């Protein structure tokens, strides 16, 4: 079963033939909302809205541990994370779809591991490649098959939010090597790795990052909403194609 975590702009999968919803409890508390189970192209899919179904949970208050735990314990063989991002690079325009390959984590104070507490042995995970190589390849192949152009490599900077960045912070992220910026990519990716479940991200550029291009003097939230609405349709099409291909993580 493939699991999809939807972010801003993707609070439901329109093409999901829903069978039921489950409110799940975990040792880490409650997930962002009920997990919705159903089928796409006859294959099982689970969906969870990261910010809750009323979009009420801000990035720094998402219970990432409960979300990932719930999806993995209910049998997710792969997790696709959908999120909006700001673009630091001038050639990545609002509306573009990006499949990042690396992460820089600037978040702080989030519960970011399952391996803590007095009874837990010190445990490390390899995170050299934070996204699953095969799952990324499947997303890129699916996008190619449906004729949707995607940028197949980008360094994702995970910031704390909920405020957007300053122009100087964006300059710093660029110097660090980041291409796009978002607030929810971490610790989600690391938790999935701790659970041993393949995880990849597909991001929609909602805006130029602070101080860049038409965000030179500020970021327009109205423009962001319009862009997301249109481009999340592309994301749905790509995910549907990936599931229809019958890739191993989608069975
Ligand atoms: N910064 C951080 N997160 C975001 C942005 C941004 O500019 N746009 C969408 N998510």
């Amino acid at each position: 079963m493939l699991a999809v975590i939807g972010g801003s702009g993707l609070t439901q999968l329109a093409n999901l033939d829903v069978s039921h919803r489950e409110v799940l409890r975990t040792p880490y508390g409650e997930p962002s909302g009920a997990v919705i189970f159903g089928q796409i192209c006859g294959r099982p899919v689970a969906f969870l809205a990261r910010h809750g179904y009323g979009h009420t949970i801000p990035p720094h208050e998402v219970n990432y541990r409960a979300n990932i735990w719930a999806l993995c314990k209910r049998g997710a063989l792969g997790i696709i994370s959908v999120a909006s991002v700001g673009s630091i690079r001038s050639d990545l325009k609002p509306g573009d779809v990006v499949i990042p390959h690396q992460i820089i984590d600037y978040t702080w104070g989030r519960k970011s591991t399952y391996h803590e507490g007095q009874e837990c042995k010190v445990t490390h995970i390899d995170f050299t490649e934070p996204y699953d190589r095969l799952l990324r390849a499947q997303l890129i192949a699916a996008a190619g098959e449906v004729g949707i152009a995607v940028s197949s490599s980008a360094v994702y900077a995970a910031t704390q939010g909920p405020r957007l960045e300053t122009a100087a912070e964006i300059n710093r992220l660029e110097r660090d090597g980041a291409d796009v910026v978002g607030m929810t990519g971490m610790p989600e990716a690391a938790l999935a790795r701790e659970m041993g479940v393949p995880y990849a991200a597909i991001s929609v550029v909602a805006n130029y990052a602070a101080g860049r291009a038409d965000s030179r003097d500020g970021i327009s939230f109205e423009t962001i909403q319009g862009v997301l609405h249109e481009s999340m349709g592309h994301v749905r099409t790509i995910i549907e194609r990936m599931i229809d291909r019958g890739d191993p993580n989608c069975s």
Side-chain angles (χ1 to χ4, degrees):
M1 177 181 77
L2 189 75
V4 177
I5 303 179
S8 303
L10 193 83
T11 48
Q12 54 180 8
L13 277 179
N15 41 10
L16 180 65
D17 184 9
V18 176
S19 64
H20 66 289
R21 293 172 165 74
E22 283 182 33
V23 177
L24 298 162
R25 311 238 176 276
T26 81
Y28 305 96
E30 287 185 20
S32 298
V35 179
I36 301 180
F37 294 89
Q39 296 201 331
I40 291 180
C41 305
R43 295 179 200 279
V45 175
F47 179 81
L48 178 61
R50 183 185 287 111
H51 300 287
Y53 292 96
H55 207 270
T56 52
I57 310 171
H60 63 295
E61 287 181 346
V62 170
N63 190 340
Y64 296 96
R65 292 198 300 184
N67 287 353
I68 295 294
W69 183 273
L71 295 174
C72 294
K73 290 294 168 185
R74 283 297 280 104
L77 297 176
I79 299 175
I80 301 294
S81 155
V82 182
S84 63
V85 292
S87 168
I88 300 173
R89 261 172 38 196
S90 57
D91 63 318
L92 286 177
K93 304 177 303 302
D96 284 359
V97 180
V98 178
I99 299 175
H101 73 292
Q102 274 294 337
I103 298 175
I104 305 175
D105 186 10
Y106 299 91
T107 65
W108 50 269
R110 302 183 181 189
K111 294 280 190 190
S112 56
T113 179
Y114 296 111
H115 302 303
E116 64 180 17
Q118 280 184 336
E119 268 144 53
C120 192
K121 283 214 181 106
V122 175
T123 309
H124 302 288
I125 50 163
D126 173 51
F127 209 42
T128 311
E129 278 191 57
Y131 299 111
D132 183 75
R133 201 182 273 192
L134 183 62
L135 214 51
R136 286 187 73 252
Q138 290 166 355
L139 278 173
I140 293 164
E145 285 172 15
V146 292
I148 296 174
V150 295
S151 188
S152 58
S153 73
V155 176
Y156 174 103
T159 55
Q160 176 70 358
R163 66 166 178 83
L164 294 167
E165 299 71 32
T166 66
E169 284 169 338
I170 293 300
N171 291 341
R172 173 197 170 197
L173 299 190
E174 182 174 47
R175 287 195 299 274
D176 285 355
D179 300 304
V180 294
V181 55
M183 301 175 190
T184 55
M186 284 295 284
E188 212 173 71
L191 292 166
R193 180 63 53 83
E194 285 191 354
M195 292 297 286
V197 172
Y199 173 101
I202 179 162
S203 308
V204 169
V205 176
N207 56 284
Y208 282 111
R212 301 293 163 107
D214 63 5
S215 300
R216 183 177 307 274
D217 299 320
I219 294 175
S220 152
F221 295 100
E222 274 161 33
T223 315
I224 288 185
Q225 292 314 321
V227 169
L228 285 184
H229 184 70
E230 198 173 318
S231 293
M232 283 301 173
H234 291 325
V235 168
R236 286 195 187 97
T237 306
I238 293 169
I239 292 175
E240 182 173 322
R241 179 68 195 140
M242 181 181 160
I243 293 167
D244 199 18
R245 284 162 54 96
D247 287 325
N249 308 91
C250 307
S251 304

